Amino acid sequence: MQVNPRGTSGDNYEDDEDIEKQLNRWWQETNAVAENYWQQKQLQGKAKRNQQGNEEILRKYGLPKCNSFRGISQAMEVDLEELRLLVFSPKLDAATKHHYIRFYIPKKTGGERVISAPTRRLKDAQYWILNNILKKLDSSLHDAAHGFRSSRVIKTETNGKNDFLRSLQHLEPRHFGNLFNFWRRIKSTIYLLTLSLSSSKIKFGKRRSIVTNAEPHVGADVLINIDIKDFFPSISYRRVKGLFKSFGYSESASTIFGLLCTVTFVNHRSYLPQGAPTSPMITNLICRRLDRRLTQMGERFGFRYTRYADDLTFSASNESLCNICNILRQTESIVRHEGFEINKDKTRILRKCNRLEVTGIVVNSKLSISRQKLKRFRATLYQIEKDGLEGKHWGKSEDLIASIQGFANFVYMVDPEKGAKFREQIRIIKEKHGC
């Protein structure tokens, strides 16, 4: 019997190779299915995590619990498609073209300011965010912030004796060696104490405004005004999104709120638009640490600090004046570390021999308005009452009546007696000329 080992072995090898190929194919298919399964599980887990917020923080501030796209749509009472159109833009500049109207207004110091005003649908969504989220966080803002706030300045009456003894703790034994230095120290301490007590009485129950921003600086010997350059455009979408995450909102909700509150232009930069109702309050919330650091730094050098939007103000008296350079240098360092830049062209150091002005209010000895400006306003009202509105103007507004009423209200806020006289004169003008 003859045996053909090659033929037999060859057939076996071919069968083995076919089986091995099939097993490899099955193994790859099984791995692909398993890999696809786990990828789907990971995506599902990621999507679930993206919709999970911190309910404890949301409950602490009394914020609405809407951590998904559908949840925000229901809370805002907006259709899903409409909300998707407001949030996502299919083209590069679609958000700007469809949801914002850009225009320019002249600055007082020259140049133009870009205003990005949202359209009605987007403005409604932003007002919902402002009223239901941002305003509820007003109490978390620093006391040094006075612009665009809804809360009142409330300070309890303090014990003057205890405050005075506490302030004397800053005195050191070396200050008693020289009678002159000791007297200067006492004067400086009494000045700071007097400002603290007087501010408590003046601010009690008043709504925050440019008046409360100017009050702490009344009677100072020196005033430092510092302006932040490109304040609103300096705040990016990522910072706004991170702000909402810090409130306890999920990744998805923070992304949606961040996109609704920022604007994106052709250069792909997304930032806070000047003109949106949410922007001022967002800047205050983002500047909480800035205000805290500048307040602590100012107190260390014997200076008082307040902020109204992008205007930073420091004031001091007596021997604290020797720290002006330290204030300027450290303010620049802190502002830069917080992601902003100082406009050095607008930095001003004013002495008491000149007119000290904070956000348009004179603070040399009391809160007042420039005499020259009041004189020009009286003359304008007299001419309007005598000859009518034609050919007259006040400020840069085309609406003369609205402009003079606005200034009269401003005067009333600073000096109620003078402001009441201006209001009465405007009422007579409107009756006489049928406005």
Side-chain angles (χ1 to χ4, degrees):
M1 180 176 177
Q2 295 181 353
V3 180
N4 186 359
R6 292 183 62 185
T8 306
S9 60
D11 293 339
N12 291 337
Y13 284 143
E14 288 178 3
D15 292 341
D16 291 343
E17 287 176 2
D18 291 341
I19 293 172
E20 187 175 356
K21 288 179 181 179
Q22 191 171 2
L23 287 173
N24 285 335
R25 187 169 65 253
W26 288 347
W27 177 254
Q28 290 173 1
E29 290 176 356
T30 304
N31 282 345
V33 171
E35 187 178 353
N36 188 38
Y37 171 79
W38 288 113
Q39 283 179 353
Q40 290 179 355
K41 280 290 184 183
Q42 288 177 354
L43 290 174
Q44 290 174 1
K46 186 177 180 181
K48 190 174 181 180
R49 288 193 302 271
N50 285 345
Q51 295 181 6
Q52 288 179 346
N54 191 324
E55 292 190 5
E56 186 178 347
I57 299 178
L58 293 174
R59 198 180 306 112
K60 175 184 175 182
Y61 292 111
L63 303 178
K65 298 176 183 179
C66 45
N67 284 303
S68 65
F69 200 89
R70 186 176 297 276
I72 294 173
S73 172
Q74 292 173 351
M76 288 186 174
E77 297 181 354
V78 176
D79 294 336
L80 284 171
E81 283 301 319
E82 184 176 351
L83 182 60
R84 188 175 290 109
L85 178 63
L86 294 175
V87 173
F88 304 108
S89 52
K91 296 181 180 179
L92 288 177
D93 207 22
T96 304
K97 290 179 179 177
H98 295 133
H99 305 314
Y100 285 92
I101 300 171
R102 293 183 67 187
F103 58 92
Y104 302 86
I105 59 173
K107 294 182 180 180
K108 291 182 180 179
T109 55
E112 292 182 327
R113 190 186 308 277
V114 181
I115 303 296
S116 300
T119 56
R120 184 187 58 81
R121 290 191 300 174
L122 180 58
K123 187 184 290 186
D124 290 342
Q126 290 174 345
Y127 268 119
W128 186 92
I129 296 172
L130 176 65
N131 295 324
N132 293 278
I133 299 177
L134 301 178
K135 281 188 176 180
K136 292 182 178 180
L137 296 156
D138 188 274
S139 59
S140 69
L141 299 181
H142 196 277
D143 287 338
H146 292 266
F148 315 112
R149 296 190 62 176
S150 57
S151 67
R152 295 177 180 272
V153 181
I154 299 176
K155 288 187 178 291
T156 57
E157 294 294 334
T158 56
N159 189 327
K161 180 181 177 181
N162 292 340
D163 283 347
F164 182 70
L165 292 175
R166 194 181 300 113
S167 61
L168 286 178
Q169 291 177 358
H170 295 288
L171 295 176
E172 300 175 8
R174 60 186 176 86
H175 297 135
F176 294 87
N178 186 304
L179 185 60
F180 178 72
N181 288 337
F182 173 70
W183 174 240
R184 290 180 63 190
R185 278 276 175 174
I186 289 293
K187 282 179 65 180
S188 177
T189 304
I190 292 175
Y191 165 76
L192 291 174
L193 176 63
T194 304
L195 273 181
S196 176
L197 293 175
S198 63
S199 297
S200 299
K201 294 176 182 178
I202 292 172
K203 289 185 178 180
F204 188 83
K206 280 194 175 182
R207 190 171 295 278
R208 294 177 188 267
S209 63
I210 57 174
V211 174
T212 60
N213 180 65
E215 281 171 349
H217 308 290
V218 174
D221 289 342
V222 70
L223 198 69
I224 303 176
N225 289 327
I226 299 173
D227 181 80
I228 297 178
K229 186 177 182 181
D230 297 329
F231 187 48
F232 287 90
S234 298
I235 300 175
S236 64
Y237 154 76
R238 296 183 68 178
R239 293 185 73 176
V240 177
K241 176 186 172 182
L243 182 70
F244 282 102
K245 286 193 72 174
S246 70
F247 301 156
Y249 282 106
S250 65
E251 181 78 16
S252 299
S254 301
T255 300
I256 293 168
F257 290 142
L259 290 171
L260 286 173
C261 294
T262 56
V263 60
T264 304
F265 289 107
V266 181
N267 57 5
H268 301 280
R269 271 197 73 235
S270 297
Y271 56 83
L272 212 57
Q274 188 168 358
T278 49
S279 294
M281 191 62 183
I282 288 175
T283 60
N284 278 339
L285 290 165
I286 285 179
C287 288
R288 287 177 295 183
R289 189 173 65 175
L290 172 71
D291 293 331
R292 184 176 68 252
R293 294 178 66 184
L294 291 178
T295 298
Q296 293 172 352
M297 182 269 295
E299 289 175 349
R300 192 164 66 249
F301 292 116
F303 277 72
R304 282 181 167 272
Y305 161 76
T306 61
R307 179 182 62 84
Y308 193 92
D310 57 351
D311 292 324
L312 316 180
T313 305
F314 295 89
S315 66
S317 289
N318 300 322
E319 67 176 16
S320 298
L321 305 186
C322 64
N323 292 315
I324 292 176
C325 291
N326 291 326
I327 290 289
L328 294 173
R329 184 172 61 253
Q330 294 203 22
T331 298
E332 184 177 4
S333 175
I334 292 172
V335 168
R336 189 187 305 112
H337 186 264
E338 294 295 330
F340 298 103
E341 183 182 353
I342 288 177
N343 189 346
K344 295 183 179 180
D345 295 335
K346 292 186 178 181
T347 300
R348 294 184 299 163
I349 302 174
L350 306 173
R351 303 279 179 173
K352 198 167 186 177
C353 56
N354 300 316
R355 186 175 67 194
L356 303 182
E357 197 169 334
V358 180
T359 52
I361 300 176
V362 179
V363 295
N364 285 66
S365 57
K366 64 175 184 177
L367 295 177
S368 60
I369 299 173
S370 168
R371 293 179 181 177
Q372 292 84 352
K373 201 164 190 177
L374 289 176
K375 187 176 180 180
R376 285 192 291 108
F377 188 64
R378 288 193 189 96
T380 301
L381 291 183
Y382 174 78
Q383 291 173 359
I384 294 173
E385 187 176 358
K386 180 183 176 183
D387 304 326
L389 280 67
E390 188 175 353
K392 311 297 188 303
H393 67 276
W394 179 261
K396 296 181 180 179
S397 174
E398 295 181 359
D399 190 340
L400 179 60
I401 292 296
S403 185
I404 60 176
Q405 280 183 329
F407 186 77
N409 292 335
F410 168 65
V411 176
Y412 183 83
M413 189 167 50
V414 179
D415 190 334
E417 186 177 349
K418 291 180 180 177
K421 292 180 180 179
F422 286 144
R423 282 178 166 183
E424 178 62 22
Q425 193 171 355
I426 292 173
R427 186 189 66 79
I428 294 172
I429 289 173
K430 290 171 72 175
E431 287 183 355
K432 182 177 180 180
H433 298 284
C435 299

